[in-house]
Structures are given as C-alpha cells and as structure tokens.
Amino acid sequence: MLYPSQQHTADELSAKLSSSPDTAILLKGLPGQGKSTIVNEVSSKRGVIESPLYMAEHAEAEDLPLFIVSEGRDDREIIQAMTDYRSKIASVILIERLNGTRAVDLTSKGIQVAELSLTPLLGEEIDNMINSMHPECRDEERALIQKYSLGIPLLVEKMIQSRPVDKRVAELILTGYISSISLRDLPSSHEYLSWKKLVDDFFQEHF
C-alpha cells in the first residue's frame, strides 16, 4: 500500500512513462523513502515485466519490457546499453540516490532524462503508519516518532519496532541512519563534510 504522498509520485512516474517512453526516468530519494516500493507498484499496475537492462539485447520489438536499474549499477553499463539497444528499450527507470550524478552522466551522452524526487511522509501519513503497526502507541511516543523520523518510512518503522520509544532511542535510530547514508549516499569527502554540517545544524536548531 502506498501513502498519498507516495501515490502522487507513483502517478507522476506512470504519466512520464506514458508520455516519454524513450526517456530515462530517475526516481531519486534517500534510503528508506520507498523508491523500490513505488517502482513495484507502478510496474505491476501497468502489467509490465521488470527486466535488468542488460537483457535489452534479447527484447522483442513488439513486447518491449520496462527496465529497472538499481542505484548500485555502473553508469557506464547503463549508457552502453541505452546507446546500443535504444530501439529495443521502451522505458528505463533508474533508482537513484538523492545527490547522484546520473542525470549529468546520461544527458552528456545524448540520453533524455526526467527526474522525480520523493517527498517525506506527511504528519497524517506518519500517524496512519503508526496506527497500522502499533495502535496502542502512547502520545509521547507518537510525538517523538513524528519529530525524529523526518517522514522517512524506514525510520518510522524502526522506531515503532524499537518501542517503548523515548528520546534516547529516537536519537540513536536517527543518528545511526544519518551515519549510514553519509557514507553510502555522499561518497566524496567534500560532500560528506557538507552533509555533516547540515546534520549538525539540524540538530542544533531542532533538538
């Protein structure tokens, strides 16, 4: 099930697949925001088969599949496949980290790119997620989850699973998440320092 803000992104993604079939669509977001969930929802509703991009060589022209590329794949492979097999590729969805460079890399090779970025869950959506997983959640716990999850479904889930939730638990989960994406999503030292400053400023302002 998608929450309304996720459904909005799924609808946008589906519309772009229909209007720009020869475009690579970058679905961008932080880990745990639901990128794969949205892609699965869209592909299943459209009745398409998800295939790895290297299978484009074997695609039949009358039944072009939808190709899904995870954030871990090498951009050189993507560019090579999209260049060599463009006539056999119906649509490509690239699951991308928030600060990735795939748009620049692909555009520089003449590949048309459309970008979509996920938004955080709204307060009401977080409440609904809490109610579905832990309807007995106390008001104090609910307030902490709202504050520290940043609207990221993975963090909401982790905090609910770690109940009883107090400020120390919520801070540990959030800082652990921030530490993990600092290395995975922001690979260069310059980007890491910028991200660390952003996080430090966030904590000083809100906590």
Side-chain angles (χ1 to χ4, degrees):
M1 180 192 78
L2 298 181
Y3 290 96
S5 58
Q6 293 176 318
Q7 186 60 58
H8 176 73
T9 304
D11 292 342
E12 284 190 292
L13 177 58
S14 187
K16 285 188 181 296
L17 287 171
S18 300
S19 62
S20 306
D22 57 345
T23 298
I25 302 170
L26 267 65
L27 183 60
K28 305 179 74 170
L30 289 167
Q33 273 196 286
K35 299 185 292 295
S36 296
T37 302
I38 289 171
V39 169
N40 290 339
E41 178 77 8
V42 170
S43 60
S44 64
K45 281 192 174 181
R46 292 172 64 89
V48 296
I49 300 172
E50 299 177 26
S51 303
L53 194 55
Y54 65 80
M55 292 296 292
E57 181 179 6
H58 308 290
E60 298 296 332
E62 64 273 11
D63 186 27
L64 293 175
L66 170 66
F67 295 100
I68 311 297
V69 182
S70 69
E71 42 191 291
R73 292 298 295 273
D74 190 320
D75 284 358
R76 289 171 297 183
E77 292 180 41
I78 300 167
I79 292 168
Q80 188 69 43
M82 291 188 71
T83 301
D84 291 351
Y85 310 120
R86 187 167 297 190
S87 63
K88 293 185 175 183
I89 294 175
S91 300
V92 177
I93 298 175
L94 308 174
I95 300 175
E96 172 73 309
R97 59 189 173 87
L98 194 61
N99 294 321
T101 61
R102 275 183 171 166
V104 175
D105 297 340
L106 296 175
T107 302
S108 68
K109 297 298 182 181
I111 297 170
Q112 187 177 354
V113 176
E115 296 186 52
L116 287 175
S117 295
L118 273 71
T119 58
L121 294 181
L122 301 174
E124 183 180 351
E125 295 172 324
I126 296 173
D127 266 339
N128 290 338
M129 190 170 178
I130 294 171
N131 290 337
S132 67
M133 295 184 68
H134 181 33
E136 301 84 13
C137 185
R138 293 178 291 112
D139 290 344
E140 312 89 84
E141 292 180 303
R142 190 179 297 270
L144 286 167
I145 294 170
Q146 285 274 3
K147 185 175 184 179
Y148 283 88
S149 69
L150 308 184
I152 297 172
L154 176 65
L155 287 181
V156 176
E157 184 176 334
K158 282 189 173 183
M159 290 179 188
I160 293 172
Q161 291 172 346
S162 301
R163 65 184 189 273
V165 180
D166 57 25
K167 184 177 179 182
R168 184 188 65 84
V169 169
E171 285 182 346
L172 281 173
I173 291 172
L174 177 55
T175 53
Y177 172 82
I178 288 169
S179 297
S180 71
I181 65 169
S182 295
L183 298 176
R184 182 170 53 190
D185 264 32
L186 305 170
S188 76
S189 58
H190 173 72
E191 288 175 318
Y192 174 78
L193 292 174
S194 298
W195 172 252
K196 187 176 185 305
K197 183 179 185 308
L198 182 93
V199 170
D200 290 343
D201 290 347
F202 177 85
F203 269 91
Q204 285 178 15
E205 180 179 352
H206 296 283
F207 309 120

